[in-house]
């Protein structure tokens, strides 16, 4: 029997039992579609986070005061306070070759007021380099200009939302704001920013770092962002940064440096695992579809017992009968899988339209796996019914009407 | 061409042993026209199934065209059936979703005959049985007599040496029954061995050889000229 004959016979058989065929295709395609859509969502989330991180710069090192791990020496009895991470520490890092930007950060809350209006805002003190490190865009005016970071010129840049709430329709540029017990002039307004890792840049007031330190009456910086020139420089820069800090802190490297890459990798791993888990759950739907195929094929075998007896009587060897029934199961699962893939892609497309900011798309491995599992389960669960058909006693099969 | 030696067939029904056939010695010559007759339960269908290689004897040997086919594997008996034996059943056993011509072509499809040759042989056989205008009809669009004629076309399209018919007229009215018998006899006239199982003595009397079975043993074996 040629391949075309087998396929032709199978197609006619599938068309002959339309309801059964449609239900099977439905079951199979739901399984495949759910794998495609769910992995697309999971992978979309993973890529979304990855993009957020790389928007922050993949060459970024984040330095914070204090050491998170204990290295040697007896543990301090009274709880040693780490040395401050000062502005001068941060400025010293500028001299390291391979460092492109250094942005010191001082963070705190303060009340901002204009006339009778006031609200509590997040104040971020930094230098002009912060603009480059975070890739911010300006709406109006200019960013902070800090040729000498140690001087506190009374100016500020405000987020788009702050401008709306304080100034409404009035002109904001050049106006004076009261920040806590100090005053500063608005020199720029940030463009509408995407939320970047949970920090709402629309609701922030940026001031020169020294201004912020004075406002909060602090010596120590909150963080220092260091951007290496290239990705390859990251590790070397990290070493250099540690050495510089060690030299400045009487031989103690009492800072923690987090590489952006490491954080990203952690998130990546978590979300990848999540995607796999979700895909696994969806794969159960596929297995269920496989069991359904088995059931339906078993019913088909008992429905078509006389036909199988006839095929045997007119000279079909057991292998040929197995082939015919297996090809039915295989064709059901192939068509079901393809339909499911189409439906899944449609769902992914709809989701991508609904959430344009998340890069939703089923990864290739997931599609391949879904189609593969669909085919394998279809055929694997088709084997039992096909073998049962092949083993039927022709005399008994023919005696049934 | 068919030789049965000491054939016995036993079935186990519950804890009872039923001996459907007992020590049958029988042979058929090429071109024979034989009727196997007997009351129901006499073992005539079992005998036909063994001759048709659908069933295996418990004891004895079966030679078909000189070859011992008693102990062939399932695959081998399938190919013997395909090449040498044509079946006609009481209930036609057409595949309901296939057209008449596809039903007739089925044995050739299974045998892997090329589509072109299939088509020409099918149309030839259908024409000779007066079914040319029915070739695209499905079985449920055909009368009983037409269905049995399609079944005969299917049985003969591989040009077998033997036609085995199990109550071929059992499900037909008298007129179509006669037509079907005429067709089968016509095939016999052209040299095919024809073995018909029936409980109807009127049909049995038409055969040149009548074998009477009672309780699994041959009671009579008459030839008439």
């Amino acid at each position: 029997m040629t391949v075309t004959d087998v396929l032709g016979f199978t197609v006619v058989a599938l068309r002959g039992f339309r309801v059964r065929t449609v239900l099977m295709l439905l079951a199979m395609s739901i399984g495949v579609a759910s794998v495609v859509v769910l992995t697309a969502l999971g992978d979309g989330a993973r890529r979304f986070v990855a993009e957020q991180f790389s928007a922050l710069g993949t060459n970024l090192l984040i330095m914070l005061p204090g050491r998170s791990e204990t290295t040697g020496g007896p543990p301090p009895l009274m709880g040693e306070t780490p040395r401050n991470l000062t502005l001068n520490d941060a400025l010293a890092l500028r001299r390291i070759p391979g460092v492109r930007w250094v942005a010191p950060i001082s963070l705190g809350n303060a009340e901002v007021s204009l006339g009778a209006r006031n609200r509590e805002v997040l104040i971020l003190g930094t230098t002009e380099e912060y603009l480059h490190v975070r890739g911010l865009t300006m709406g109006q005016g200019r960013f902070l200009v800090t040729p000498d970071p140690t001087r506190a010129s009374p100016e500020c840049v405000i987020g788009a939302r702050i401008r709306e709430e304080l100034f409404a329709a009035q002109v904001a540029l050049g106006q004076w704001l009261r920040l806590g017990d100090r005053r500063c002039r608005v020199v720029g307004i940030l463009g509408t920013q995407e939320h970047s890792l949970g920090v709402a840049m629309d609701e922030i007031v940026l001031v020169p770092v020294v201004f912020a330190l004075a406002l909060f009456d602090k010596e120590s910086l909150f963080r220092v962002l260091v951007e290496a020139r290239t990705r390859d420089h990251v590790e070397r820069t990290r070493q250099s940064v540690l050495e510089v800090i060690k030299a400045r802190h009487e031989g103690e490297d009492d800072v923690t440096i987090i590489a952006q890459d490491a954080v990203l990798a952690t998130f990546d791993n978590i979300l990848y695992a999540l995607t796999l888990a979700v895909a696994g759950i969806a794969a159960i739907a596929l297995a269920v579809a496989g069991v359904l195929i088995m059931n339906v094929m078993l019913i088909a075998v008992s429905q078509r017992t006389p036909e199988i007896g006839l095929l045997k009587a007119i000279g079909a060897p057991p292998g040929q009968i197995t082939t015919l029934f297996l090809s039915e199961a295989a064709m059901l699962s192939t068509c079901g899988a393809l339909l499911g893939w189409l439906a899944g892609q449609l769902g992914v497309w709809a989701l991508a339209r609904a959430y344009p900011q998340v890069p939703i798309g089923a990864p290739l491995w997931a599609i391949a796996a879904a189609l593969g599992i669909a085919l394998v389960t279809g055929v694997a669960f088709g084997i039992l019914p096909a073998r049962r058909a092949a083993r039927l006693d022709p005399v008994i099969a023919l005696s049934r009407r | 061409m068919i030789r049965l030696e000491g054939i016995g067939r036993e079935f186990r029904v519950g804890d009872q042993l039923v001996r459907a056939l007992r020590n049958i010695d029988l042979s058929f010559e090429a071109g024979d026209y034989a009727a196997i007759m007997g009351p129901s339960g006499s073992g005539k269908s079992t005998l036909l199934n063994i001759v048709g290689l659908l069933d295996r004897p418990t004891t004895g040997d079966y030679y078909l065209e000189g070859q011992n086919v008693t102990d062939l594997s399932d695959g081998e008996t399938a190919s013997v059936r395909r090449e040498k034996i044509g079946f006609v059943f009481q209930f036609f056993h057409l595949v309901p979703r296939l057209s008449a011509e596809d039903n007739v072509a089925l044995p050739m499809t299974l045998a892997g005959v090329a589509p072109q040759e299939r088509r020409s042989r099918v149309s030839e056989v259908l024409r000779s049985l007066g079914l040319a205008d029915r070739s695209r009809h499905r079985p449920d669009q055909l009368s009983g007599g037409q269905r049995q004629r399609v079944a005969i076309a299917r049985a003969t399209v591989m040009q077998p040496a033997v036609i085995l018919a199990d109550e071929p007229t059992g499900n037909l009215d008298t007129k179509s029954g006669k037509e079907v018998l005429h067709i089968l006899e016509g095939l016999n006239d052209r040299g095919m061995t024809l073995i018909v199982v029936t409980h109807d003595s009127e049909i049995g009397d038409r055969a040149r050889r009548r074998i009477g079975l009672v309780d699994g043993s041959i009671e009579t074996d008459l030839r008439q000229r």
Side-chain angles (χ1 to χ4, degrees):
Chain A
M1 215 174 168
T2 63
V3 177
T4 6
D5 285 336
V6 172
L7 290 182
F9 190 86
T10 305
V11 167
V12 174
L14 289 177
R15 275 215 305 249
F17 303 89
R18 233 161 262 199
V19 176
R20 185 198 81 162
T21 304
V22 168
L23 287 178
M24 283 320 306
L25 290 180
L26 196 65
M28 206 32 141
S29 54
I30 286 174
V32 173
S34 51
V35 171
V36 171
V37 170
L38 288 175
T39 49
L41 277 177
D43 205 56
R46 186 179 67 83
R47 279 192 283 177
F48 178 66
V49 169
E51 273 178 24
Q52 292 276 299
F53 270 91
S54 36
L56 240 131
T58 45
N59 310 338
L60 203 62
L61 291 170
I62 302 167
M63 179 162 64
L64 41 151
R67 194 165 44 208
S68 54
E69 72 250 49
T70 311
T71 49
L77 272 178
M78 295 298 288
E80 191 185 10
T81 12
R83 254 167 291 271
N84 286 337
L85 183 58
T86 64
L87 180 57
N88 285 328
D89 288 338
L91 296 179
L93 301 180
R94 282 180 162 178
R95 289 190 291 272
I96 299 173
V99 167
R100 183 189 270 158
W101 312 111
V102 176
I105 292 177
S106 168
L107 199 68
N109 279 300
E111 198 179 70
V112 58
S113 54
L114 176 81
R117 295 178 209 211
N118 62 71
R119 65 164 284 184
E120 189 82 0
V121 291
L122 196 62
I123 311 278
L124 195 147
T126 186
T127 60
E128 60 192 13
E129 290 172 302
Y130 188 74
L131 178 74
H132 307 295
V133 173
R134 293 299 297 267
L136 298 177
T137 53
M138 295 303 296
Q140 297 172 38
R142 58 169 174 83
F143 197 69
L144 304 169
V145 178
T146 51
D148 178 3
T150 56
R151 285 196 43 193
S153 51
E155 44 182 45
C156 60
V157 170
I158 61 178
R161 188 101 183 265
I162 300 284
R163 190 207 69 80
E164 243 167 67
E165 289 180 7
L166 289 179
F167 296 97
Q170 293 174 47
V171 177
L173 281 183
Q175 300 287 327
W176 287 84
L177 283 180
R178 177 160 287 281
L179 268 186
D181 54 357
R182 284 156 190 272
R183 275 156 51 86
C184 65
R185 197 165 60 89
V186 178
V187 296
I189 294 153
L190 290 175
T192 313
Q193 309 284 337
E194 281 171 20
H195 276 233
S196 158
L197 284 178
V199 180
M201 294 304 288
D202 289 344
E203 299 187 50
I204 206 165
V205 173
L206 296 161
V207 294
V209 61
V210 183
F211 187 99
L213 288 172
L215 182 68
F216 303 135
D217 193 19
K218 273 190 187 164
E219 288 274 302
S220 183
L221 295 170
F222 174 66
R223 296 279 188 274
V224 177
L225 303 182
V226 180
E227 191 181 313
R229 279 187 198 287
T230 68
R231 212 173 172 142
D232 305 332
H233 280 102
V234 170
E235 196 42 45
R236 224 179 317 144
T237 307
R238 177 199 179 95
Q239 292 303 325
S240 313
V241 167
L242 267 181
E243 275 162 30
V244 170
I245 296 296
K246 206 168 174 176
R248 296 179 56 85
H249 287 192
E250 294 137 17
E252 291 278 350
D253 50 347
D254 52 359
V255 290
T256 303
I257 299 177
I258 303 166
Q260 182 70 39
D261 265 6
V263 182
L264 175 59
T266 308
F267 268 97
D268 205 60
N269 282 342
I270 292 170
L271 287 164
Y272 186 67
L274 197 76
T275 307
L276 275 184
V278 172
I281 292 167
I284 292 173
L286 273 182
V288 171
V291 174
L292 265 172
I293 284 197
M294 176 162 74
N295 279 325
V296 167
M297 290 309 295
L298 281 175
I299 294 168
V301 168
S302 57
Q303 259 180 352
R304 279 150 63 184
T305 299
E307 179 187 323
I308 295 163
L310 171 84
L311 289 175
K312 291 196 153 190
I314 61 177
Q320 211 162 39
I321 299 201
T322 311
T323 308
L324 285 175
F325 276 81
L326 260 188
S327 99
E328 243 184 270
M331 194 173 282
L332 272 176
S333 48
T334 310
C335 295
L338 288 177
L339 279 177
W341 174 65
L342 278 179
Q345 291 295 0
L346 211 68
V348 168
W349 177 79
L351 279 172
R353 295 269 309 223
Y355 304 100
Q357 67 272 33
V358 183
I360 293 174
L364 217 59
W365 64 261
I367 292 171
L371 293 180
I373 292 172
L375 297 191
V376 169
T377 50
V379 173
F381 284 111
I383 286 174
L384 177 71
R387 290 185 54 135
R388 175 170 293 190
R391 276 205 295 260
L392 277 177
D393 180 344
V395 173
I396 293 169
L398 283 166
S399 67
R400 291 240 322 249
R401 291 181 51 205
Chain B
M1 67 171 290
I2 290 173
R3 201 163 86 243
L4 303 176
E5 290 180 357
I7 293 289
R9 180 69 171 99
E10 294 169 357
F11 294 101
R12 191 165 281 283
V13 180
D15 51 2
Q16 248 191 323
L17 202 63
V18 178
R19 298 182 67 186
L21 292 177
R22 303 158 195 254
N23 201 29
I24 302 278
D25 291 311
L26 195 60
S27 58
F28 297 96
E29 300 305 317
D32 250 359
Y33 177 12
I36 300 174
M37 301 172 62
S40 68
S42 59
K44 55 188 192 300
S45 287
T46 305
L47 180 60
L48 193 79
N49 287 335
I50 285 175
V51 171
L53 287 167
L54 291 174
D55 201 0
R56 290 168 189 279
T58 320
T59 57
D61 286 304
Y62 173 13
Y63 297 89
L64 178 62
E65 293 189 328
Q67 183 196 2
N68 188 338
V69 293
T70 325
D71 296 316
L72 295 184
S73 71
D74 284 353
E76 288 165 332
T77 58
S79 82
V80 172
R81 284 197 295 269
R82 189 168 61 211
E83 305 297 336
K84 299 187 175 164
I85 301 169
F87 289 94
V88 177
F89 306 96
Q90 181 178 1
F91 297 109
F92 324 133
H93 283 299
L94 299 176
V95 179
R97 56 183 183 278
L98 297 181
S99 67
E101 59 182 3
D102 287 343
N103 265 294
V104 175
L106 204 50
M108 290 191 286
T109 311
L110 294 175
V113 175
Q116 226 172 346
E117 198 191 334
R118 267 185 345 227
R119 264 194 300 278
S120 69
R121 270 162 71 177
V122 166
S123 64
E124 190 188 307
V125 172
L126 284 177
R127 194 160 2 94
S128 71
L129 294 179
L131 288 165
D133 57 336
R134 290 281 181 273
S135 61
R136 302 218 177 257
H137 289 56
R138 273 188 286 115
D140 56 3
Q141 298 163 321
L142 298 172
S143 71
Q146 286 169 338
R147 285 186 213 181
Q148 194 61 301
R149 277 189 278 160
V150 171
I152 292 170
R154 180 182 62 198
T156 54
V157 79
M158 292 291 285
Q159 284 154 355
V162 191
I163 297 278
L164 302 178
D166 192 353
E167 305 275 9
T169 60
N171 219 25
L172 299 175
D173 58 65
T174 325
K175 184 169 165 283
S176 350
K178 272 219 176 79
E179 270 174 31
V180 162
L181 278 177
H182 278 304
I183 290 167
L184 289 174
E185 284 162 6
L187 293 169
N188 176 246
D189 289 343
R190 277 184 277 147
M192 275 188 203
T193 310
L194 176 62
I195 303 175
V196 179
V197 160
T198 184
H199 65 276
D200 185 340
S201 55
E202 204 177 313
I203 293 163
D205 286 345
R206 298 168 66 104
R208 286 194 295 277
R209 181 178 174 193
R210 288 185 302 260
I211 298 160
L213 274 185
V214 173
D215 286 341
S217 302
I218 296 176
E219 194 147 280
T220 54
D221 188 349
L222 303 171
R223 286 164 196 274
Q224 63 176 25
R225 192 64 291 237

